[in-house]
Amino acid sequence: QVQLVESGGGLVQAGGSLRLSCQASGSILSINAMGWYRQAPGKQRELVARISSGRTTNYADSVKGRFTISRDNAKNTVYLQMNSLKPEDTAVYYCNLGGRMTGWAPFDSWGQGTQVTVSS
């Protein structure tokens, strides 16, 4: 079992910043890709940012230049630094990590979600 715990969401004014964190725990052998997704009310969940094991990153066009994804492999943690936040960034943000557990079984786990609300 691999558990993910997210933190860092909250209420912020437009133009402000937030930093999300997602830490994995459990019988982890290795973590490959780490990603952040978001889901706004009435909309489908969408990819926000992703970082590979080789630290290659990709971003949704809507957040390029404003959001930065990073990872700390020693802490099994992925971060999302969000700057210049806009009201349209309001959503529940979920982290997603995939990799191998001890014994080489694959895992693909989701965090519980953290609310980000940006006021205008």
Side-chain angles (χ1 to χ4, degrees):
Q1 291 282 354
V2 176
Q3 296 81 34
L4 305 184
V5 177
E6 300 180 25
S7 60
L11 173 64
V12 65
Q13 288 189 331
S17 298
L18 286 173
R19 188 191 194 210
L20 305 183
S21 300
C22 173
Q23 184 170 32
S25 62
S27 302
I28 298 170
L29 180 63
S30 63
I31 299 176
N32 299 327
M34 297 177 163
W36 287 96
Y37 293 73
R38 67 186 181 187
Q39 187 166 19
K43 294 188 177 181
Q44 289 189 330
R45 189 174 297 188
E46 63 174 357
L47 175 67
V48 175
R50 188 174 180 272
I51 183 167
S52 71
S53 57
R55 302 183 187 274
T56 299
T57 59
N58 59 284
Y59 297 92
D61 288 343
S62 59
V63 307
K64 283 180 181 177
R66 300 188 298 122
F67 291 11
T68 302
I69 189 171
S70 60
R71 61 190 287 166
D72 184 334
N73 290 333
K75 296 181 179 180
N76 290 335
T77 299
V78 60
Y79 304 97
L80 185 68
Q81 179 67 44
M82 304 185 293
N83 299 329
S84 302
L85 282 160
K86 303 176 181 180
E88 50 263 43
D89 294 318
T90 295
V92 178
Y93 285 69
Y94 300 89
C95 60
N96 173 244
L97 276 62
R100 297 278 180 178
M101 294 187 288
T102 54
W104 287 96
F107 75 88
D108 183 1
S109 297
W110 290 86
Q112 79 280 10
T114 185
Q115 177 70 46
V116 171
T117 303
V118 184
S119 63
S120 57

